[in-house]
Amino acid sequence: VGHYVVPWPQTAYVGNDTMTACLPTLRADVQGILDRVLPGCVLPPVATLNRVKRRPSDRRRPGARRRRTSAKHAHTVKPSPELCSVVNEVYADDARLWRSRCGESRA
């Protein structure tokens, strides 16, 4: 049986002074925040991105290789238009907040 997680609306705690880091530019956004509030503090390099473990079926095959996920596409999920419509309706203020801070208008 599936379950649903209904998060608290972000507009309830994000204000004009809130610094925002967005996906997929999270690392650069966090570094930008650090540059403003803690000059000289630099994020350490990332040793590996999106390491993918062997599938259980791979463990049974001798010589099976690990699958790697391209970092460029690791978080790419094709959202359901129906789900997006419902989320945008239920969280209309959050959708506007995302568009203003992380959406195309930010680019």
Side-chain angles (χ1 to χ4, degrees):
V1 175
H3 67 280
Y4 298 95
V5 175
V6 180
W8 192 261
Q10 293 178 8
T11 51
Y13 56 86
V14 173
N16 291 334
D17 296 327
T18 304
M19 295 180 199
T20 307
C22 306
L23 286 175
T25 58
L26 183 65
R27 185 172 178 79
D29 292 351
V30 170
Q31 186 61 59
I33 293 168
L34 291 174
D35 291 346
R36 278 181 266 151
V37 298
L38 293 169
C41 183
V42 178
L43 290 171
V46 177
T48 184
L49 294 173
N50 302 312
R51 180 183 252 167
V52 177
K53 295 181 181 178
R54 291 180 186 213
R55 296 173 291 196
S57 60
D58 289 346
R59 291 189 188 122
R60 291 185 285 261
R61 294 188 348 235
R65 297 180 61 185
R66 288 181 133 182
R67 295 176 302 128
R68 293 264 180 203
T69 302
S70 164
K72 180 179 178 184
H73 301 290
H75 297 289
T76 302
V77 175
K78 186 173 182 179
S80 153
E82 296 83 16
L83 177 60
C84 288
S85 177
V86 170
V87 169
N88 283 318
E89 185 177 329
V90 172
Y91 293 102
D93 291 337
D94 280 6
R96 279 189 291 279
L97 177 68
W98 183 88
R99 283 191 300 274
S100 70
R101 293 182 177 229
C102 301
E104 291 178 16
S105 63
R106 179 176 171 218

